[in-house]
Structure formats: C-alpha cells, structure tokens
Amino acid sequence: MSKEISALAAGILFGLGLAVSHMVDPAKVLGFLDIAGAWDPSLAFVMAGALVVTFVAFRIASGRPAPIFAESFPAPARKEIDARLVGGAAIFGIGWGLVGFCPGPAVSSLAFGLPQSLIFVGAMVIGMAGARMITQGPAVATGTS
Amino acid sequence: MENFTPIPALIGGAFIGLSAAALLLMNGRIAGISGIVGGLAAPSRGDVAWRLMFIAGLIIGAFAYRLAVEPNMALALTPSLPLLVVGGLLTGIGTTVSGGCTSGHGVCGIARLSPRSIIATLVFMAAGGATVFVMRHVIGD
C-alpha cells in the first residue's frame, strides 16, 4: 500500500508542476517548438528546474542501498544508440508538434474536462499497446521511460 | 517573447523534479509518463495499482491547481479530430519504440547523463520543431 501512496503523491507533484508551469496547455508547448514564430523559451526553464532536482535525486540514490518501498533502484541506463531510439524519438516528436501534447500533459489535461484530451490519450494508449505488441511482445518493461 | 514565463516555469519544473525524486527514492522507479502509462498495456501482478495511482495524481494535481490558484485557466487545444488522433497515435508509438518521452528521456534520462536520452531528446525536439514549422509557416499562413 505504501508504494501506491507514494506514487499518488509523486503524481500529484507532477500534475502540479505541469499546471504551475502551464505545460499542460498545448499553446505553451507549441510556443516553445515554434522557433520561427513568437518563440517562448519557458519549456526549457521547466526542464532546467526539473533537471537540477532530479540530478540531485540520482546522486542521493547512488549513495543508498535501496529505495524506501522497493528492493532496488532502476538498472543503469542502456548505452547503445540505435535506429529504434532515433526513429521512435522522431515519430514522437512529430506527434508532439502536431498537437502540443506529450504523454504527461495529455494525461494531466484530463483535469480540464475537454473531449480532445480524452481522444488524444485514447489514441496514445492504442499507439503504445500496438507498438508494444509489434516490437516487444506483450510482457517486456522498458528501461528508461 | 511576450509569452515567456520563466519564474512559473522554474517553479513548475522543480515540482516535476521533486516528483521524479520521490518516485525514485521511495519506489525505485523512473518518472517517465510514457513508461508508467504504457506499462498498463502489459500488466503484471503488483505492478498495476501504483501506475494507476500516479496517473490519478497527475490529474488531481492539475485539478487542484486550477481550483485553488487559477480558476479561469483554459487550454488552447486543437479541435481537429484527425490531428488529435494522429498526434496521439504517433506519440504513443514513438515513445514506446524509443523507450521514453519528455519526462523519461528529457528529464530523468538527462539527469542521469544517459547518452541515449540526450540523443532522443535532441531528436524529438528537432522533429517537434520541424513539425510546428511546417504546420504554422509552410501549410499555415
């Protein structure tokens, strides 16, 4: 039960972060991606703020034997740069640019009760399940996501 | 840069970092949303409830902010059904194939200095930028 509570708390923090920064609003994200238009660098500042804290967290983790509610920390990140990494990232980037949603803000935006959020998230989940079935088989967990 | 909001961006980013830190130090998990959601497509025992709780938290957090701080906050979201469906499908497929999204690769992966995540982030940002350029400045007016 404790790892469910901590996951809920972490999720709330994440949702708050997306709302405070307005990254839950596709207009804000598209403003970052639109370098040729009225460029809005805010997203880079969100990433910078998140990176500093997360970097420290990984340093703390490296000095500890195990997390509080689990047996081990994640395996070290994989190293190889392959076509799946680059091709997948390119496919994701196109989807991101079409609507202005990446997975976190898309899910978080359900709080606003718009039907478009539900359509996007539904299509995204179908894409995830389909890609898993085709590329990995049904029961493989991904490493760094 | 009239829409630039560096202070809320940094504060919001710090919240996201705290979320990633909490999930890592308490549950030993990477706060990558595509991985957390995608893991539900291949459910295994004892590995479902925490994912659902995290997802619920994502929605609750945004809802609470809206309720307590910015009741008039609205999202500018395309009404185009084809764009939403194609965008959603590509986002789901791409993040699954490359093993991460803006949070998994862009925040957690870069924070642990993973070369894969640095490359993935550069690629999806470039592809996103190119897509917006075409949509707004080539096809659009």
PDB file of all heavy atoms in Angstrom, chain B residues 6-31:
ATOM      1  N   PRO B   6       9.382  32.738 -17.181  1.00  0.00           N
ATOM      2  CA  PRO B   6      10.483  31.941 -16.610  1.00  0.00           C
ATOM      3  C   PRO B   6      10.269  31.509 -15.158  1.00  0.00           C
ATOM      4  O   PRO B   6      10.651  30.388 -14.800  1.00  0.00           O
ATOM      5  CB  PRO B   6      11.694  32.876 -16.732  1.00  0.00           C
ATOM      6  CG  PRO B   6      11.140  34.244 -16.919  1.00  0.00           C
ATOM      7  CD  PRO B   6       9.815  34.082 -17.590  1.00  0.00           C
ATOM      8  N   ILE B   7       9.645  32.353 -14.341  1.00  0.00           N
ATOM      9  CA  ILE B   7       9.537  32.008 -12.913  1.00  0.00           C
ATOM     10  C   ILE B   7       8.566  30.846 -12.677  1.00  0.00           C
ATOM     11  O   ILE B   7       8.932  29.835 -12.063  1.00  0.00           O
ATOM     12  CB  ILE B   7       9.152  33.253 -12.070  1.00  0.00           C
ATOM     13  CG1 ILE B   7      10.167  34.390 -12.290  1.00  0.00           C
ATOM     14  CG2 ILE B   7       9.065  32.894 -10.584  1.00  0.00           C
ATOM     15  CD1 ILE B   7      11.603  34.048 -11.892  1.00  0.00           C
ATOM     16  N   PRO B   8       7.311  30.934 -13.187  1.00  0.00           N
ATOM     17  CA  PRO B   8       6.437  29.754 -13.040  1.00  0.00           C
ATOM     18  C   PRO B   8       7.042  28.510 -13.697  1.00  0.00           C
ATOM     19  O   PRO B   8       6.834  27.392 -13.213  1.00  0.00           O
ATOM     20  CB  PRO B   8       5.145  30.166 -13.765  1.00  0.00           C
ATOM     21  CG  PRO B   8       5.175  31.647 -13.800  1.00  0.00           C
ATOM     22  CD  PRO B   8       6.618  32.051 -13.843  1.00  0.00           C
ATOM     23  N   ALA B   9       7.800  28.716 -14.777  1.00  0.00           N
ATOM     24  CA  ALA B   9       8.413  27.562 -15.453  1.00  0.00           C
ATOM     25  C   ALA B   9       9.421  26.879 -14.534  1.00  0.00           C
ATOM     26  O   ALA B   9       9.428  25.652 -14.392  1.00  0.00           O
ATOM     27  CB  ALA B   9       9.088  28.005 -16.753  1.00  0.00           C
ATOM     28  N   LEU B  10      10.266  27.677 -13.875  1.00  0.00           N
ATOM     29  CA  LEU B  10      11.270  27.100 -12.965  1.00  0.00           C
ATOM     30  C   LEU B  10      10.607  26.434 -11.765  1.00  0.00           C
ATOM     31  O   LEU B  10      11.004  25.342 -11.345  1.00  0.00           O
ATOM     32  CB  LEU B  10      12.236  28.187 -12.493  1.00  0.00           C
ATOM     33  CG  LEU B  10      13.341  28.585 -13.473  1.00  0.00           C
ATOM     34  CD1 LEU B  10      14.090  29.806 -12.951  1.00  0.00           C
ATOM     35  CD2 LEU B  10      14.313  27.432 -13.714  1.00  0.00           C
ATOM     36  N   ILE B  11       9.575  27.093 -11.219  1.00  0.00           N
ATOM     37  CA  ILE B  11       8.879  26.520 -10.054  1.00  0.00           C
ATOM     38  C   ILE B  11       8.187  25.218 -10.451  1.00  0.00           C
ATOM     39  O   ILE B  11       8.301  24.191  -9.765  1.00  0.00           O
ATOM     40  CB  ILE B  11       7.865  27.530  -9.475  1.00  0.00           C
ATOM     41  CG1 ILE B  11       8.602  28.771  -8.948  1.00  0.00           C
ATOM     42  CG2 ILE B  11       7.024  26.890  -8.368  1.00  0.00           C
ATOM     43  CD1 ILE B  11       7.682  29.921  -8.567  1.00  0.00           C
ATOM     44  N   GLY B  12       7.460  25.256 -11.575  1.00  0.00           N
ATOM     45  CA  GLY B  12       6.792  24.041 -12.049  1.00  0.00           C
ATOM     46  C   GLY B  12       7.797  22.937 -12.324  1.00  0.00           C
ATOM     47  O   GLY B  12       7.563  21.767 -11.994  1.00  0.00           O
ATOM     48  N   GLY B  13       8.922  23.310 -12.920  1.00  0.00           N
ATOM     49  CA  GLY B  13       9.969  22.325 -13.182  1.00  0.00           C
ATOM     50  C   GLY B  13      10.482  21.699 -11.899  1.00  0.00           C
ATOM     51  O   GLY B  13      10.698  20.485 -11.832  1.00  0.00           O
ATOM     52  N   ALA B  14      10.653  22.527 -10.863  1.00  0.00           N
ATOM     53  CA  ALA B  14      11.129  22.000  -9.578  1.00  0.00           C
ATOM     54  C   ALA B  14      10.130  20.997  -8.999  1.00  0.00           C
ATOM     55  O   ALA B  14      10.516  19.956  -8.447  1.00  0.00           O
ATOM     56  CB  ALA B  14      11.372  23.138  -8.596  1.00  0.00           C
ATOM     57  N   PHE B  15       8.825  21.278  -9.162  1.00  0.00           N
ATOM     58  CA  PHE B  15       7.800  20.324  -8.712  1.00  0.00           C
ATOM     59  C   PHE B  15       7.955  18.987  -9.455  1.00  0.00           C
ATOM     60  O   PHE B  15       7.871  17.913  -8.861  1.00  0.00           O
ATOM     61  CB  PHE B  15       6.389  20.877  -8.970  1.00  0.00           C
ATOM     62  CG  PHE B  15       5.848  21.730  -7.860  1.00  0.00           C
ATOM     63  CD1 PHE B  15       5.719  23.098  -8.010  1.00  0.00           C
ATOM     64  CD2 PHE B  15       5.443  21.151  -6.671  1.00  0.00           C
ATOM     65  CE1 PHE B  15       5.208  23.897  -6.984  1.00  0.00           C
ATOM     66  CE2 PHE B  15       4.926  21.933  -5.644  1.00  0.00           C
ATOM     67  CZ  PHE B  15       4.809  23.314  -5.803  1.00  0.00           C
ATOM     68  N   ILE B  16       8.165  19.091 -10.769  1.00  0.00           N
ATOM     69  CA  ILE B  16       8.335  17.866 -11.564  1.00  0.00           C
ATOM     70  C   ILE B  16       9.580  17.110 -11.105  1.00  0.00           C
ATOM     71  O   ILE B  16       9.575  15.885 -10.971  1.00  0.00           O
ATOM     72  CB  ILE B  16       8.400  18.220 -13.073  1.00  0.00           C
ATOM     73  CG1 ILE B  16       7.031  18.743 -13.527  1.00  0.00           C
ATOM     74  CG2 ILE B  16       8.838  17.019 -13.906  1.00  0.00           C
ATOM     75  CD1 ILE B  16       7.014  19.372 -14.921  1.00  0.00           C
ATOM     76  N   GLY B  17      10.646  17.861 -10.808  1.00  0.00           N
ATOM     77  CA  GLY B  17      11.850  17.232 -10.289  1.00  0.00           C
ATOM     78  C   GLY B  17      11.609  16.555  -8.946  1.00  0.00           C
ATOM     79  O   GLY B  17      12.094  15.441  -8.703  1.00  0.00           O
ATOM     80  N   LEU B  18      10.835  17.213  -8.078  1.00  0.00           N
ATOM     81  CA  LEU B  18      10.517  16.611  -6.779  1.00  0.00           C
ATOM     82  C   LEU B  18       9.707  15.332  -6.964  1.00  0.00           C
ATOM     83  O   LEU B  18       9.882  14.350  -6.238  1.00  0.00           O
ATOM     84  CB  LEU B  18       9.730  17.599  -5.908  1.00  0.00           C
ATOM     85  CG  LEU B  18      10.543  18.750  -5.314  1.00  0.00           C
ATOM     86  CD1 LEU B  18       9.613  19.735  -4.595  1.00  0.00           C
ATOM     87  CD2 LEU B  18      11.589  18.219  -4.330  1.00  0.00           C
ATOM     88  N   SER B  19       8.819  15.337  -7.954  1.00  0.00           N
ATOM     89  CA  SER B  19       8.044  14.133  -8.258  1.00  0.00           C
ATOM     90  C   SER B  19       8.962  12.993  -8.675  1.00  0.00           C
ATOM     91  O   SER B  19       8.854  11.871  -8.181  1.00  0.00           O
ATOM     92  CB  SER B  19       7.044  14.439  -9.379  1.00  0.00           C
ATOM     93  OG  SER B  19       6.476  13.246  -9.866  1.00  0.00           O
ATOM     94  N   ALA B  20       9.886  13.309  -9.579  1.00  0.00           N
ATOM     95  CA  ALA B  20      10.828  12.281 -10.050  1.00  0.00           C
ATOM     96  C   ALA B  20      11.688  11.783  -8.893  1.00  0.00           C
ATOM     97  O   ALA B  20      11.968  10.587  -8.772  1.00  0.00           O
ATOM     98  CB  ALA B  20      11.700  12.852 -11.166  1.00  0.00           C
ATOM     99  N   ALA B  21      12.096  12.721  -8.010  1.00  0.00           N
ATOM    100  CA  ALA B  21      12.918  12.353  -6.860  1.00  0.00           C
ATOM    101  C   ALA B  21      12.147  11.435  -5.917  1.00  0.00           C
ATOM    102  O   ALA B  21      12.674  10.420  -5.440  1.00  0.00           O
ATOM    103  CB  ALA B  21      13.364  13.613  -6.117  1.00  0.00           C
ATOM    104  N   ALA B  22      10.877  11.775  -5.660  1.00  0.00           N
ATOM    105  CA  ALA B  22      10.057  10.969  -4.753  1.00  0.00           C
ATOM    106  C   ALA B  22       9.868   9.566  -5.309  1.00  0.00           C
ATOM    107  O   ALA B  22      10.021   8.564  -4.590  1.00  0.00           O
ATOM    108  CB  ALA B  22       8.699  11.649  -4.541  1.00  0.00           C
ATOM    109  N   LEU B  23       9.553   9.480  -6.599  1.00  0.00           N
ATOM    110  CA  LEU B  23       9.303   8.165  -7.192  1.00  0.00           C
ATOM    111  C   LEU B  23      10.583   7.319  -7.193  1.00  0.00           C
ATOM    112  O   LEU B  23      10.541   6.109  -6.965  1.00  0.00           O
ATOM    113  CB  LEU B  23       8.753   8.334  -8.611  1.00  0.00           C
ATOM    114  CG  LEU B  23       7.892   7.195  -9.126  1.00  0.00           C
ATOM    115  CD1 LEU B  23       6.650   6.993  -8.273  1.00  0.00           C
ATOM    116  CD2 LEU B  23       7.488   7.422 -10.576  1.00  0.00           C
ATOM    117  N   LEU B  24      11.714   7.973  -7.432  1.00  0.00           N
ATOM    118  CA  LEU B  24      12.993   7.253  -7.456  1.00  0.00           C
ATOM    119  C   LEU B  24      13.393   6.780  -6.060  1.00  0.00           C
ATOM    120  O   LEU B  24      13.692   5.601  -5.849  1.00  0.00           O
ATOM    121  CB  LEU B  24      14.092   8.171  -8.026  1.00  0.00           C
ATOM    122  CG  LEU B  24      15.503   7.580  -8.024  1.00  0.00           C
ATOM    123  CD1 LEU B  24      15.619   6.464  -9.058  1.00  0.00           C
ATOM    124  CD2 LEU B  24      16.551   8.658  -8.304  1.00  0.00           C
ATOM    125  N   LEU B  25      13.379   7.700  -5.089  1.00  0.00           N
ATOM    126  CA  LEU B  25      13.918   7.381  -3.762  1.00  0.00           C
ATOM    127  C   LEU B  25      12.947   6.525  -2.941  1.00  0.00           C
ATOM    128  O   LEU B  25      13.372   5.787  -2.061  1.00  0.00           O
ATOM    129  CB  LEU B  25      14.275   8.668  -3.012  1.00  0.00           C
ATOM    130  CG  LEU B  25      15.396   9.486  -3.682  1.00  0.00           C
ATOM    131  CD1 LEU B  25      15.571  10.832  -2.997  1.00  0.00           C
ATOM    132  CD2 LEU B  25      16.713   8.706  -3.673  1.00  0.00           C
ATOM    133  N   MET B  26      11.657   6.633  -3.213  1.00  0.00           N
ATOM    134  CA  MET B  26      10.706   5.808  -2.464  1.00  0.00           C
ATOM    135  C   MET B  26      10.395   4.497  -3.179  1.00  0.00           C
ATOM    136  O   MET B  26      10.410   3.438  -2.578  1.00  0.00           O
ATOM    137  CB  MET B  26       9.421   6.605  -2.201  1.00  0.00           C
ATOM    138  CG  MET B  26       9.687   7.801  -1.281  1.00  0.00           C
ATOM    139  SD  MET B  26       8.236   8.396  -0.411  1.00  0.00           S
ATOM    140  CE  MET B  26       7.506   9.419  -1.638  1.00  0.00           C
ATOM    141  N   ASN B  27      10.091   4.576  -4.477  1.00  0.00           N
ATOM    142  CA  ASN B  27       9.640   3.379  -5.190  1.00  0.00           C
ATOM    143  C   ASN B  27      10.699   2.760  -6.105  1.00  0.00           C
ATOM    144  O   ASN B  27      10.448   1.726  -6.708  1.00  0.00           O
ATOM    145  CB  ASN B  27       8.393   3.706  -6.027  1.00  0.00           C
ATOM    146  CG  ASN B  27       7.171   3.987  -5.172  1.00  0.00           C
ATOM    147  OD1 ASN B  27       7.303   4.208  -3.962  1.00  0.00           O
ATOM    148  ND2 ASN B  27       6.008   3.977  -5.775  1.00  0.00           N
ATOM    149  N   GLY B  28      11.823   3.452  -6.278  1.00  0.00           N
ATOM    150  CA  GLY B  28      12.843   2.927  -7.179  1.00  0.00           C
ATOM    151  C   GLY B  28      12.400   2.931  -8.630  1.00  0.00           C
ATOM    152  O   GLY B  28      12.805   2.078  -9.418  1.00  0.00           O
ATOM    153  N   ARG B  29      11.550   3.894  -8.975  1.00  0.00           N
ATOM    154  CA  ARG B  29      11.019   3.954 -10.337  1.00  0.00           C
ATOM    155  C   ARG B  29      11.420   5.248 -11.028  1.00  0.00           C
ATOM    156  O   ARG B  29      11.585   6.280 -10.379  1.00  0.00           O
ATOM    157  CB  ARG B  29       9.486   3.908 -10.300  1.00  0.00           C
ATOM    158  CG  ARG B  29       8.930   2.575  -9.867  1.00  0.00           C
ATOM    159  CD  ARG B  29       9.044   1.591 -10.989  1.00  0.00           C
ATOM    160  NE  ARG B  29       8.482   0.288 -10.619  1.00  0.00           N
ATOM    161  CZ  ARG B  29       8.285  -0.683 -11.503  1.00  0.00           C
ATOM    162  NH1 ARG B  29       8.594  -0.516 -12.771  1.00  0.00           N
ATOM    163  NH2 ARG B  29       7.787  -1.850 -11.117  1.00  0.00           N
ATOM    164  N   ILE B  30      11.518   5.179 -12.348  1.00  0.00           N
ATOM    165  CA  ILE B  30      11.789   6.366 -13.160  1.00  0.00           C
ATOM    166  C   ILE B  30      10.453   7.042 -13.468  1.00  0.00           C
ATOM    167  O   ILE B  30       9.509   6.378 -13.906  1.00  0.00           O
ATOM    168  CB  ILE B  30      12.466   5.959 -14.485  1.00  0.00           C
ATOM    169  CG1 ILE B  30      13.783   5.219 -14.230  1.00  0.00           C
ATOM    170  CG2 ILE B  30      12.651   7.170 -15.391  1.00  0.00           C
ATOM    171  CD1 ILE B  30      14.952   6.081 -13.889  1.00  0.00           C
ATOM    172  N   ALA B  31      10.384   8.354 -13.242  1.00  0.00           N
ATOM    173  CA  ALA B  31       9.142   9.084 -13.516  1.00  0.00           C
ATOM    174  C   ALA B  31       9.044   9.421 -15.003  1.00  0.00           C
ATOM    175  O   ALA B  31       9.142  10.570 -15.402  1.00  0.00           O
ATOM    176  CB  ALA B  31       9.063  10.352 -12.669  1.00  0.00           C
TER     177      ALA B  31
END
